């Protein structure tokens, strides 16, 4: 994959996961949004039954109940389908290392070499009091026109607004950005770095994203 050209010449997949509150988290919901040719595609979502029940703390954040996933497949049953959607596109997410940690444990065959973190990009782009996803959605109007029924802290909503945030960051400014510039400003590798400290997967109500 070359990063020399315009950012839109690289394929990206924006991911967002919701977990069950275990330590480490187990996958309950995943949304993936492809960004190809600079265009945001439709979201793909999966609900899964985790091996450990969803904790009340996790349920208070995303609203997914154990009854909601009782008849859903375990991640192993849909892992191949998920991997086909993710493909070899560059993963993107808000504090993306958290999503990568859950996904690489849940999908052993999926091992991207690097990813792009919109939290890092946003911190460099805009001097705001907070760079949590909710604050950026309000600052940039990223939820405008989303389909009815989508709510924050559910994977589809968070992945869609993060995809919009990523495209906004990639196109913001007087000059078109190269893929290399995005990797330099917001890229991470899968080894040797810790998650950004501002966000954690379950650090209290209203704190995620």
């Amino acid at each position: 994959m070359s990063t020399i050209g315009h950012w839109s010449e690289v394929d990206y997949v924006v991911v967002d996961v919701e977990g069950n509150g275990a330590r480490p988290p187990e996958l309950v919901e995943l949304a993936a949004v492809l960004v190809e040719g600079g265009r945001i595609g439709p979201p793909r979502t999966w609900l899964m039954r985790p091996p450990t029940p969803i904790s009340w703390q996790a349920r208070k954040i995303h609203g997914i109940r154990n009854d909601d996933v009782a008849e859903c497949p375990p991640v192993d049953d849909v892992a191949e389908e998920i991997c086909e959607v993710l493909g070899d596109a560059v993963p993107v997410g808000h504090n993306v290392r958290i999503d990568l940690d859950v996904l690489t444990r849940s999908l052993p065959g999926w091992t991207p070499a690097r990813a792009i973190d919109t939290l890092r990009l946003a911190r460099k782009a805009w001097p705001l009091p907070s760079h949590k996803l909710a604050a950026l959605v309000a600052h940039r109007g990223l939820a405008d026109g989303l389909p009815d029924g989508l709510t924050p802290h559910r994977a589809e909503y968070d992945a869609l607004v993060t995809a919009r945030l990523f495209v906004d960051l990639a196109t913001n400014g007087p000059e078109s950005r190269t893929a290399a510039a995005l990797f330099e400003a917001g890229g991470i590798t899968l080894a040797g770095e810790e998650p950004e400290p501002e966000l954690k997967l379950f650090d209290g109500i209203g704190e995620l994203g």
Side-chain angles (χ1 to χ4, degrees):
M1 177 189 64
S2 173
T3 62
I4 297 174
H6 190 264
W7 74 274
S8 64
E9 296 174 10
V10 175
D11 291 339
Y12 311 88
V13 59
V14 181
V15 293
D16 185 84
V17 305
E18 304 298 335
N20 65 342
R23 301 287 185 176
E26 296 164 337
L27 191 58
V28 172
E29 186 177 42
L30 166 66
V33 178
L34 289 171
V35 180
E36 299 174 304
R39 295 181 178 274
I40 298 172
R44 291 287 304 273
T45 61
W46 296 264
L47 268 176
M48 289 151 279
R49 185 180 71 252
T52 306
I54 300 168
S55 70
W56 68 266
Q57 296 97 330
R59 187 176 66 251
K60 288 184 72 173
I61 293 174
H62 52 54
I64 304 171
R65 303 169 301 170
N66 287 298
D67 287 349
D68 296 329
V69 298
E71 303 300 323
C72 292
V75 64
D76 289 349
D77 288 2
V78 292
E80 183 176 353
E81 177 186 345
I82 292 171
C83 288
E84 287 178 0
V85 173
L86 299 178
D88 59 0
V90 176
V92 176
H94 204 65
N95 208 17
V96 69
R97 183 170 289 282
I98 291 176
D99 303 282
L100 294 178
D101 174 67
V102 177
L103 289 175
T104 53
R105 282 188 292 102
S106 303
L107 307 169
W110 186 68
T111 54
R114 53 184 172 175
I116 293 177
D117 191 345
T118 54
L119 176 59
R120 293 188 178 192
L121 290 175
R123 283 174 169 168
K124 294 176 181 179
W126 303 305
L128 300 171
S130 172
H131 293 88
K132 293 179 181 179
L133 187 57
L136 294 167
V137 168
H139 176 62
R140 304 299 289 181
L142 300 173
D144 295 350
L146 284 182
D148 293 338
L150 298 185
T151 58
H153 307 306
R154 289 297 299 264
E156 184 173 353
Y157 174 97
D158 286 355
L160 279 170
V161 295
T162 301
R164 291 180 173 190
L165 173 63
F166 173 65
V167 173
D168 189 9
L169 288 160
T171 56
N172 184 48
E175 298 181 1
S176 297
R177 294 185 183 272
T178 64
L182 288 177
F183 279 105
E184 181 178 356
I188 67 166
T189 58
L190 287 184
E193 296 185 30
E194 294 297 323
E196 294 288 345
E198 184 170 343
L199 302 176
K200 297 178 182 178
L201 189 55
F202 295 111
D203 60 356
I205 303 305
E207 292 298 307
L208 174 64

